[in-house]
Amino acid sequence: MSEGGTFLLSITGQIEFAEVMASAGSAFHCKYEFCSGPDWKIIGGLEAGITQIANVVNNNDRVVFNYPIDVQFKSTNPYGWPQIVISMYRGMTLEGYGRTHLPIRPGNHNLIVDLAKPKASSLLGYLGSFFGYQPELLQPKMLATTAGNNLIRMENCGSINMNFNVVSQGFLRLGYDFGDSN
Amino acid sequence: MAEVHIIGQIIGAREFPKQEVFCKWHLQIGNNWRVIEGKKEGQTQVSSSQFTEACNWSYPIDIHLATAGIKGWPKIYVEVYHLDWLGRAHLFGYGLITIPTSPGRHILNCYTWRPTGNLRDRVVEYFLGGGQYIKYPDLIFSSEKRYKMSTEAMGVVIFELDLILRNFNNYGVEY
């Protein structure tokens, strides 16, 4: 919708660590993917990635990923601002999904993303959950697009901390005002 | 036309008496306003938490608006429901927030309320669940008809919104 001109958005940062119920002997890993609107394009960096497997040696250890993310976007319109969707796994079973918008204002941002995992919707699934069955979303991106969001039940479980540095180029020139960067 | 972008999330609900809550939201705008892109209403998932009282939704909001005047600045209207173990949804609260008029990041608390019934209604509610709800929801926006209602306090819905304004200066609008 913006007449002429694009702007660039550069995101550099890390998925730092997860705060979950971590018992000794468990191992965690994360997947991330970006989800952005129709006018957005990734011009550098990876759209999706997967972290290393972080093992927990002592009970309640911090699950450190320190996974670097470096991605550049191009767009003509802030609508569809990129979101990061995270799926965290404990071993092979799902531990939780999280999503957040990338920060808008330039600068350094600490983000805390709440994790949630879906609950079984059928009686069989409910019984199965006593034996370790954990339902997963076929497309975790649905959390970002909010398609079918109203049909699921989720349970909160911990959070993920991330740190992002945001640099934008050409945003103010297009007449946008994103407020003071405090 | 001046433009407004509302980008952010409904973080979640706090201090509601029960878990397993979800939220319906709806954007309320004046006649001069137009939604160019984005959903103007939605419903979150049902959220619960085993270890804390906070129910987080992390529900994204992304709306692109255009306006020819500042009258009718957007508001977000929410209805919070509780889904009980029988799969029935009961009203837990109504709430309304005005989108801030300054650009930047805002954390907004939406304090919700719900109508209270008489003693008989409360006894029925205690044993059967459910509760009072408003037949004509326009009562929630109107400041004239509110005096007929008696209400009680419910929890808080927390919003985190980033506002981007564009071209307001061209029309001599200061914010």
Side-chain angles (χ1 to χ4, degrees):
Chain A
M1 279 289 153
S2 350
E3 305 82 35
T6 58
F7 63 89
L8 303 178
L9 184 74
S10 159
I11 306 286
T12 14
Q14 294 88 244
I15 299 178
E16 294 289 11
F17 60 89
E19 277 189 34
V20 290
M21 290 286 209
S23 48
S26 54
F28 293 86
H29 71 277
C30 274
K31 284 193 301 190
Y32 81 84
E33 55 190 324
F34 288 107
C35 180
S36 50
D39 301 330
W40 288 77
K41 197 165 177 278
I42 289 186
I43 53 170
L46 297 171
E47 190 189 351
I50 191 160
T51 69
Q52 78 275 24
I53 296 167
N55 287 284
V56 178
V57 179
N58 296 305
N59 272 329
N60 266 328
D61 262 3
R62 181 176 285 168
V63 184
V64 176
F65 294 112
N66 193 237
Y67 180 82
I69 287 180
D70 192 348
V71 65
Q72 292 86 42
F73 293 92
K74 182 178 88 171
S75 179
T76 53
N77 182 359
Y79 174 72
W81 199 271
Q83 303 179 44
I84 183 167
V85 180
I86 289 183
S87 328
M88 185 154 122
Y89 290 84
R90 179 199 294 262
M92 294 308 286
T93 57
L94 179 81
E95 178 66 17
Y97 296 110
R99 64 141 290 284
T100 187
H101 279 103
L102 295 177
I104 289 176
R105 273 164 302 131
N108 183 272
H109 300 262
N110 245 325
L111 304 180
I112 300 173
V113 180
D114 293 311
L115 295 173
K117 56 186 167 193
K119 285 188 185 176
S121 56
S122 62
L123 179 66
L124 189 66
Y126 176 71
L127 295 173
S129 61
F130 290 106
F131 302 98
Y133 166 71
Q134 170 61 52
E136 290 181 34
L137 302 175
L138 277 174
Q139 293 172 317
K141 272 191 181 177
M142 68 165 280
L143 297 173
T145 58
T146 71
N149 221 327
N150 50 342
L151 301 172
I152 51 175
R153 300 210 286 162
M154 296 187 94
E155 188 178 352
N156 298 135
C157 46
S159 58
I160 284 192
N161 288 51
M162 302 191 284
N163 190 282
F164 286 125
N165 294 286
V166 179
V167 180
S168 64
Q169 186 193 17
F171 198 65
L172 296 175
R173 199 187 57 218
L174 292 175
Y176 291 110
D177 184 355
F178 42 56
D180 304 328
S181 49
N182 46 17
Chain B
M1 297 270 267
E3 294 173 35
V4 177
H5 287 269
I6 305 167
I7 299 172
Q9 57 171 336
I10 309 178
I11 294 183
R14 305 281 184 276
E15 295 166 31
F16 277 91
K18 282 175 184 154
Q19 304 266 317
E20 306 258 335
V21 288
F22 67 94
C23 167
K24 284 185 190 178
W25 65 274
H26 181 88
L27 185 82
Q28 195 71 17
I29 45 176
N31 294 330
N32 291 334
W33 293 72
R34 200 154 50 86
V35 177
I36 297 180
E37 292 162 291
K39 295 191 177 102
K40 58 183 289 189
E41 59 190 336
Q43 181 180 328
T44 69
Q45 70 269 26
V46 181
S47 166
S48 60
S49 168
Q50 260 185 329
F51 306 111
T52 61
E53 56 92 38
C55 291
N56 294 321
W57 292 312
S58 304
Y59 180 93
I61 289 179
D62 192 342
I63 310 165
H64 182 187
L65 297 153
T67 179
I70 49 173
K71 190 167 175 284
W73 196 270
K75 290 171 192 288
I76 290 180
Y77 150 62
V78 297
E79 289 173 2
V80 181
Y81 290 89
H82 165 66
L83 193 74
D84 72 5
W85 62 284
L86 288 167
R88 302 176 297 180
H90 303 305
L91 180 87
F92 252 27
Y94 295 109
L96 188 67
I97 54 163
T98 307
I99 303 297
T101 48
S102 62
R105 188 163 174 274
H106 303 273
I107 305 274
L108 301 168
N109 291 335
C110 179
Y111 297 94
T112 64
W113 49 272
R114 70 169 178 181
T116 43
N118 54 27
L119 184 66
R120 181 180 168 276
D121 295 330
R122 286 178 182 223
V123 172
V124 169
E125 185 188 329
Y126 181 82
F127 288 106
L128 298 180
Q132 315 300 312
Y133 60 94
I134 293 176
K135 195 172 176 184
Y136 304 108
D138 46 317
L139 209 61
I140 295 153
F141 317 111
S142 90
S143 36
E144 290 108 53
K145 294 180 211 149
R146 279 270 185 106
Y147 70 94
K148 292 177 183 170
M149 247 186 316
S150 63
T151 62
E152 63 176 316
M154 293 305 270
V156 189
V157 179
I158 301 175
F159 287 77
E160 180 192 72
L161 298 177
D162 246 300
L163 248 85
I164 303 173
L165 304 185
R166 188 190 193 196
N167 292 344
F168 276 86
N169 290 327
N170 297 357
Y171 299 93
V173 177
E174 289 115 16
Y175 47 80

